C-alpha cells in the first residue's frame, strides 16, 4: 500500500495560518488586516460558516468577506444557521460564494427567495438548526468559521455572554476537524481575569479581531402587546382550555408570533381564573420573551432554557437565576443546540403559527415571494420517535389498551383562517411546491407536515388531528375549522357535526369560550411599558419598542 | 406582590461550598476529604448525576458516594447516562438513592433488572442518551454532577481527552443552573500550559479531586474477528448488496455487535470486489471500532465522528486526523451529544441488532432477566421527522409522484432467527411488556418500534419493511424471514411468494449471495493481531483481547 498522508487538513491549516503570522500578535489580528487575513485563511471552494444566528451576527467578518475580490476568492460553500444580513447575500451576487446551506432567513426572506429562483444561489437544503449542526460532523465538515463574541482575552478565550446561541456547536465542529476559527469580538481584555466567564476555550480559537463596532443583534422575539388583537385573545383562550388544560401540558415551546404572546399574557389572568397555575406551562424551552415576564413574576414559571437571548432582557434574566440558566458571572447562558435538543426530546408541546396550510395539514412559511426558512420549527414541531419517557400530556395522545402504545408530542398549529391582505391561510397547494420546482430543490420546503401536526386551532375551532383515523378524516377535520376560506366552505356540515359529536373537533362554544370575554383587558400587560413595569424596571426594551 | 427570592439555587450552592471552604485549596480538594465534601455538597433528595458513560466512569466519586451513611444522606434521585459500576447499584441497595433515570446499563443489566422489579429502584424512565440530556434543561435539572477527566489545572480547567463523551452536556446543564460540578481527575497539573487542551472551562467547575487511580474505562466496542461466524458473514454480504449498495448509503452508524463488525471487515474485500469503494459508507457516526481499521486503511472512510473513544485506539486515532475529529493536542475529541445529534439528523442509516422482535416488528434488548437499557439505539434507530435535507439513500425510501413525499432514514435490524441457547429471536410478545408491568413503568421499554424499522435482515432473507402497505403486510414480511421459529413456520408460503415477486422481500439467492462464498477468508482481518497489523502497530488492544 502506498503511504498516505493522513494529516492534510492540519498541514493545510498551518500553511494558511503561516501566511498571516507576521500580522498576528499571538492570536490577535489588527482590524485593518482583515481582508489580507481572509485571503490567506480562506481558499476558493471552501466550506465557510458565517455565524449568522437567530439574533447574534458576526457582521464585521461577513461584511469583510463581502468586500473581497471574487477573482481571488470564489465558489465558497456557505453554511449559515441564519441568513440575516444584506452582505450574506452580497457574497452570492458578487460571485464570492456559490452554494448555501441554511436554516433561517428572517429579514432577508424576500431577497433570498428571488436569488434562489434565478439561480444565483444554489441551495443545498433549508434545514432545521440541529439538523445543520449534525451535518457539520458528517457530510458538511467546515473549513472556516467566522464567529462573534462579546469579549476575548489575549489567549483567545471567548466570552459569548447571553448570546452564546449556536457558537459552541459551530466552534466544536470547526476546531476539532482542523478547521480555522476566526472570532470577531467587541472587546479584547488584557487580563484573563477580566473575562466574565469562558464560553469557548482559547485552544479552539485561531484568530481574534476586535470589530469596529459591537456585533449586530436582532430583537427577534419582542412582541408589543399593543398589537395583540381580540381574535388572538379568543384563540388563546381556546388554546388554554382545549389544549393546555385538556392534556396537562407542563413543558413546552412557544413560537415567535402574537398568537402565542397572547397565551403568555393570559396565564396570570385567564389562566389564574381557571386555576391552572402550577398545573400547566411550568418548564419552558424558549427565548426570553418579554411577554413571559408577567407569568414569571406571577409564579407560573419554574424554568426557561433559552436558544438565544433577547435584546433588552439581559438584566431581567440576570435577576431571575432560579428561572433562567445563567453562568457564575450572572448572565444568561443560551445554547441553541441544547435548547433544540430539549425542545425535541423533553418538551411536551410545540405551538406555533404558519403562513399556508394545505388540505392534508402540511404547512409552510415558504411562499413564492418569501423564503424565510424554518429555523427550529421542523425540529420542535415533530415527534421525537426515539423518546422513551412518559409524561401525562405525552401519554394522553397514546392509543389505549395496547401495551405497545406510545404517546406523542403535541404539535399545534394556531392560525387565523385568513392572513393579512385577506389571503386564505388554507390553500389547495403550498407555494413550497412551486418554490421547490423553480429553485430546483429535491424536496418541497414544508415546515411542519400534516402527519406530524396533532392539533389545528383557528378562530373557528379546534381540530384534534391526532384523533383522525384516516387521511380522509384528517382532511375533513381541517376543513371543519377552515372558516369561510374556499376549503372551509367546501366542508360537509353533516360530517362536521359528526366530528363534533365524536369530540374530534370542538367549537368555541363547546369549550365555553366567548367573544365577549375575549377582550384586551384580559392581557396581563397591554403595552411594552406594562412589561417594563412588571419587570420592576429590569427589562430595557430597545428604542424602537419604546413609545414613551 | 410579596418579594420573592429569585436566587435560592445560587445561595444554596454558596452555602454548601462554604461548608468545605476550609478543606479546599482553591478548587482542589484533597482525596481524604471526599466523604466530608460529599456530605456538605449533596443534600437528601437532590438530583445527582453520576457520570456513568458508555466507556468513561467517574468511579472514584461514585465509589465514595456509595460509602456514605444512608442515615445522613438518602432519597437521592440519580441521573446516569450509564449504570456501569457495581457501586451505581449499591447506592440503591444501601438506601442512599431511591429514584433512577438512565439510558444504558451494560455490565449491570442483570442486577438492575432484579432491583427494578423488586422495587429497590424506582425507575423514572429508560431513555435514549440525548433524550436524557434534553431533560437536564427542562424537568430533570441537576443539583450536583460527579464527573471525570484525565487532567485538571489548578484553576479547574478540565482535559477530558479522547474520553470527552457526555461531559459537555452534563457539565453545561449543571454549571449553568447553579448546580455543583465535582470532577475527579487522574492528574492535576500546576501549570495551565501543561494541560493538553481545555475541554471544560474552569468557570464551570467547582471542586477538583485527584483520584487514587485513573478512572475506569470500558472497551465496549472491541469485537474480536475470531468470533465472527460464517452466518454473520453471509448476512453481512446480503446487507452490503441488498441495503448499502441498493440504496447508496453513504452516511451511517453501526451498532455494537458482531454482525456489523463483519460488515466493517468485508468492505475492503467483498465490498471492493463489488466496486463499492467511494460509493457507500463514507461518513461515519461511530465509536472508533477496531474492526473499522482495515476499511480506513483501504481508503473507504472519509470521516468518523465519535460518541466516545475506544480503549487502545488512542494512538491510531491520533495518527489519522483527516478521518477522526481531533484537538490541537492531537487526541480525539469525542462528544456523545453531538454525535447522537449527527446520528439522528445527518446519518442515512442505523443498523443494529436486538434480542427479541415481536410479530409487528417491535424490538427490545430488555428481557425479564436482563435490562441493558437502550443507549443510543432509540435515537439512532428512528426517523428524524424534522429532517429537511435530501440524500440519495434517504430519498430512495420516499413514495413517488407526490410533491409532498419525503424520504426516510434507513433503520435496519439485523438478527439471526435464533439467539444463543436456541431461543427464538421472534416472540409473540416482547418481555418488555412483562418488565413494564412488574417494574411499574408507564410504557413498555421498546428499543426500536416496528413502524420505525425499515429493513429486517435475517439469515433467511431481507424484508423491505418500508414497502409494507399495511400492518398486516408488514407482519407477513417479518414472518417470511423468521425462518423455523414458530412465527416463521406459521408464514403462508403463497403470501411469501407474492411478497418476493413484488420485491418486498428478497431471499439470499435473489441477491446472488451464497453460503459457499461466505467464509471467514472474506474477512479483511481474522484476529485482533491482524487489526494491529493493519494499523501499523498503532492500535494497542487491551490485554484481555491479546492472544499473543
Amino acid at each position: 500500500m502506498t503511504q498516505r498522508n493522513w494529516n492534510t487538513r492540519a498541514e493545510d491549516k498551518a500553511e494558511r495560518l503561516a501566511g498571516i503570522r507576521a500580522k498576528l500578535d499571538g492570536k490577535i489580528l489588527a482590524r485593518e488586516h482583515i481582508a489580507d487575513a481572509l485571503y490567506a485563511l480562506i481558499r476558493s471552494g471552501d466550506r465557510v460558516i458565517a455565524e449568522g444566528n437567530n439574533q447574534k451576527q458576526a457582521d464585521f467578518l461577513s461584511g469583510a468577506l463581502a468586500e473581497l475580490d471574487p477573482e481571488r476568492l470564489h465558489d465558497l460553500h456557505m453554511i449559515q444557521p441564519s441568513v440575516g444580513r444584506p452582505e450574506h447575500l452580497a457574497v452570492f451576487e458578487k460571485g464570492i460564494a456559490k452554494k448555501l446551506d441554511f436554516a433561517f432567513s428572517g429579514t432577508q426572506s424576500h431577497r433570498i427567495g428571488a436569488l434562489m429562483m434565478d439561480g444565483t444561489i444554489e441551495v443545498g437544503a433549508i434545514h432545521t438548526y440541529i439538523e445543520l449542526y449534525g451535518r457539520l460532523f458528517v457530510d458538511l465538515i467546515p473549513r472556516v468559521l467566522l464567529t462573534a463574541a462579546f469579549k476575548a482575552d489575549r489567549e483567545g478565550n471567548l466570552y459569548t455572554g447571553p448570546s452564546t446561541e449556536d457558537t459552541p456547536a459551530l466552534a466544536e465542529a470547526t476546531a476539532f476537524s482542523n478547521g480555522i476559527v476566526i472570532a470577531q469580538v467587541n472587546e479584547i481584555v488584557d487580563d484573563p481575569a477580566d473575562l466574565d466567564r469562558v464560553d469557548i476555550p482559547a485552544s479552539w480559537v485561531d484568530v481574534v479581531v476586535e470589530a469596529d463596532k459591537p456585533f449586530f443583534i436582532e430583537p427577534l422575539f419582542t412582541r408589543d402587546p399593543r398589537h395583540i388583537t381580540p381574535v388572538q385573545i379568543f384563540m388563546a383562550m381556546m388554546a388554554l382550555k382545549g389544549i393546555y388544560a385538556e392534556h396537562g401540558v407542563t413543558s413546552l415551546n412557544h413560537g415567535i408570533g402574537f398568537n402565542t404572546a397572547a397565551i403568555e399574557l393570559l396565564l396570570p389572568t385567564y389562566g389564574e381564573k381557571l386555576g391552572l397555575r402550577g398545573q400547566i406551562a411550568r418548564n419552558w424551552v424558549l427565548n426570553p420573551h418579554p411577554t413571559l415576564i408577567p407569568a414569571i413574576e406571577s409564579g407560573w414559571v419554574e424554568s426557561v432554557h433559552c436558544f438565544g437571548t433577547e435584546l433588552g432582557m439581559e438584566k431581567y434574566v440576570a435577576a431571575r437565576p432560579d428561572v433562567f440558566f445563567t453562568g457564575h458571572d450572572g448572565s444568561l447562558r443560551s445554547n441553541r443546540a441544547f435548547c433544540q435538543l430539549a425542545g425535541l426530546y423533553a418538551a411536551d408541546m410545540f405551538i406555533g403559527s404558519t403562513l399556508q396550510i394545505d388540505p392534508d395539514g402540511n404547512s409552510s412559511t415558504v411562499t413564492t415571494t418569501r423564503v424565510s426558512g424554518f429555523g427550529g420549527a421542523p425540529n420542535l414541531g415533530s415527534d421525537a420517535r426515539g423518546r422513551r419517557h412518559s409524561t401525562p400530556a405525552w401519554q394522553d395522545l397514546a392509543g389505549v389498551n395496547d401495551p405497545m402504545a406510545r404517546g406523542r408530542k403535541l404539535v399545534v398549529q394556531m392560525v387565523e383562517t385568513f392572513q393579512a391582505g385577506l389571503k386564505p391561510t388554507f390553500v389547495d397547494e403550498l407555494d413550497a411546491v412551486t418554490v421547490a420546482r423553480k429553485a430546483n430543490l429535491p424536496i418541497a420546503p414544508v415546515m411542519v407536515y400534516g402527519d406530524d401536526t396533532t392539533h389545528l386551532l383557528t378562530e373557528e375551532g379546534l381540530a384534534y388531528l391526532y384523533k383522525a383515523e384516516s387521511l380522509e378524516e384528517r382532511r375533513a377535520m381541517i376543513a371543519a375549522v377552515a372558516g369561510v376560506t374556499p376549503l372551509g366552505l367546501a366542508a360537509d356540515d353533516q360530517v362536521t357535526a359528526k366530528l363534533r359529536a365524536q369530540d374530534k373537533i370542538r367549537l368555541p362554544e363547546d369549550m365555553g369560550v366567548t367573544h365577549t370575554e375575549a377582550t384586551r383587558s384580559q392581557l396581563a400587560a397591554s403595552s411594552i411599558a406594562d412589561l417594563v413595569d412588571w419587570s420592576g424596571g429590569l427589562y430595557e426594551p430597545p428604542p424602537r419598542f419604546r413609545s414613551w
Side-chain angles (χ1 to χ4, degrees), chain A:
Chain A
M1 202 173 303
T2 53
Q3 202 59 35
R4 173 175 158 189
N5 179 357
W6 297 92
N7 198 31
T8 61
R9 289 177 63 92
E11 290 174 5
D12 171 66
K13 172 177 175 173
E15 189 188 309
R16 296 186 191 198
L17 281 167
I20 60 159
R21 191 64 63 207
K23 297 189 174 69
L24 286 181
D25 173 13
K27 291 181 178 174
I28 310 295
L29 178 81
R31 195 180 303 144
E32 61 267 26
H33 297 310
I34 188 62
D36 287 342
L38 294 180
Y39 281 126
L41 297 175
I42 308 177
R43 302 279 156 87
S44 293
D46 275 356
R47 285 197 201 104
V48 177
I49 305 174
E51 190 178 0
N53 298 339
N54 239 339
Q55 287 104 338
K56 180 176 70 168
Q57 304 292 339
D59 52 351
F60 172 74
L61 293 175
S62 57
L65 184 69
E67 292 298 314
L68 300 185
D69 178 357
E71 295 278 322
R72 292 180 63 185
L73 190 67
H74 47 84
D75 291 323
L76 297 184
H77 180 170
M78 303 304 297
I79 301 172
Q80 301 189 214
S82 180
V83 178
R85 304 285 304 165
E87 67 266 19
H88 289 162
L89 297 176
V91 292
F92 290 93
E93 292 172 312
K94 285 187 65 175
I96 297 167
K98 188 167 116 185
K99 188 167 180 183
L100 174 65
D101 277 283
F102 74 111
F104 182 68
S105 64
T107 50
Q108 304 302 319
S109 59
H110 291 281
R111 201 164 141 227
I112 198 174
L115 293 174
M116 282 168 62
M117 282 184 272
D118 75 10
T120 304
I121 300 179
E122 178 195 333
V123 169
I126 309 174
H127 305 74
T128 192
Y129 292 120
I130 54 173
E131 174 186 19
L132 190 58
Y133 309 153
R135 294 189 71 190
L136 301 180
F137 298 96
V138 181
D139 61 349
L140 287 181
I141 299 173
R143 200 76 201 100
V144 178
L145 165 64
L146 310 177
T147 186
F150 278 103
K151 297 181 193 176
D153 63 23
R154 300 191 68 84
E155 300 293 314
N157 289 296
L158 301 184
Y159 171 62
T160 53
S163 299
T164 304
E165 296 201 53
D166 310 45
T167 306
L170 308 180
E172 173 142 2
T174 312
F176 293 103
S177 61
N178 282 306
I180 298 168
V181 175
I182 309 171
Q184 72 170 71
V185 299
N186 299 348
E187 183 188 350
I188 294 172
V189 299
D190 286 326
D191 186 347
D194 288 339
L195 210 60
D196 313 64
R197 72 176 190 240
V198 176
D199 290 290
I200 303 293
S203 63
W204 305 17
V205 177
D206 299 296
V207 175
V208 174
V209 55
E210 198 173 79
D212 51 349
K213 57 179 189 299
F215 61 76
F216 179 79
I217 181 163
E218 171 81 18
L220 201 60
F221 294 88
T222 300
R223 293 289 165 268
D224 187 336
R226 282 187 307 170
H227 303 305
I228 295 173
T229 65
V231 171
Q232 288 163 341
I233 294 166
F234 182 65
M235 289 166 65
M237 291 163 65
M238 283 197 272
L240 283 170
K241 278 195 161 175
I243 303 172
Y244 292 63
E246 174 75 17
H247 302 292
V249 175
T250 57
S251 58
L252 72 165
N253 165 259
H254 271 187
I256 193 173
F258 285 98
N259 283 326
T260 42
I263 295 174
E264 291 155 22
L265 291 171
L266 285 190
L267 291 174
T269 53
Y270 188 69
E272 190 73 34
K273 205 170 68 184
L274 298 175
L276 296 174
R277 179 156 48 90
Q279 310 302 308
I280 63 163
R282 296 195 302 251
N283 303 108
W284 295 71
V285 170
L286 196 76
N287 285 290
H289 288 187
T291 40
L292 195 62
I293 293 172
I296 294 171
E297 296 300 306
S298 307
W300 280 72
V301 177
E302 280 178 12
S303 67
V304 183
H305 190 259
C306 298
F307 306 96
T309 187
E310 183 66 7
L311 202 61
M313 286 288 282
E314 295 81 358
K315 280 189 191 169
Y316 177 75
V317 166
R320 300 290 179 266
D322 280 353
V323 172
F324 292 95
F325 283 72
T326 55
H328 78 120
D329 62 313
S331 75
L332 180 70
R333 165 89 172 187
S334 59
N335 186 319
R336 183 158 288 109
F338 283 126
C339 200
Q340 287 286 341
L341 204 59
L344 174 66
Y345 265 118
D348 285 338
M349 183 174 76
F350 163 78
I351 176 168
S353 200
T354 191
L355 293 178
Q356 293 187 329
I357 298 181
D358 78 8
D360 290 356
N362 301 305
S363 61
S364 191
T365 54
V366 169
T367 68
T368 44
T369 58
R370 191 180 149 192
V371 178
S372 63
F374 304 137
N379 175 63
L380 299 164
S382 70
D383 190 35
R385 312 277 298 176
R387 176 172 165 167
R388 296 292 183 271
H389 75 282
S390 178
T391 55
W394 183 84
Q395 194 75 43
D396 209 37
L397 269 62
V400 287
N401 295 329
D402 173 3
M404 286 297 126
R406 51 175 162 173
R408 208 174 149 181
K409 180 195 275 181
L410 283 77
V411 176
V412 185
Q413 289 286 18
M414 183 177 179
V415 293
E416 293 180 52
T417 54
F418 286 86
Q419 302 284 317
L422 288 187
K423 282 207 285 202
T425 302
F426 295 91
V427 296
D428 286 341
E429 183 183 81
L430 297 180
D431 281 10
V433 175
T434 305
V435 170
R437 201 172 51 241
K438 288 195 182 175
N440 207 18
L441 300 175
I443 48 170
V446 174
M447 186 167 74
V448 179
Y449 283 89
D451 54 6
D452 282 323
T453 308
T454 62
H455 297 71
L456 173 62
L457 174 61
T458 73
E459 76 278 14
E460 300 291 334
L462 173 55
Y464 294 90
L465 299 183
Y466 70 96
K467 295 184 180 178
E469 289 166 62
S470 65
L471 177 57
E472 187 192 22
E473 189 170 72
R474 194 204 311 158
R475 286 176 178 152
M477 291 167 73
I478 293 167
V481 297
V484 295
T485 62
L487 181 75
L489 291 171
D492 180 326
D493 287 348
Q494 285 194 311
V495 172
T496 299
K498 190 176 159 206
L499 291 171
R500 194 178 168 196
Q502 292 175 327
D503 199 28
K504 290 181 175 171
I505 65 167
R506 288 187 197 167
L507 304 188
E509 55 264 42
D510 301 332
M511 296 178 264
V513 172
T514 64
H515 279 287
T516 50
E517 205 180 356
T519 61
R520 283 185 40 84
S521 64
Q522 291 275 11
L523 298 175
S526 59
S527 67
I528 293 281
D530 283 354
L531 295 173
V532 174
D533 283 348
W534 270 103
S535 78
L538 291 164
Y539 171 45
E540 300 175 323
R544 65 163 138 144
F545 292 104
R546 291 170 194 259
S547 55
W548 58 94

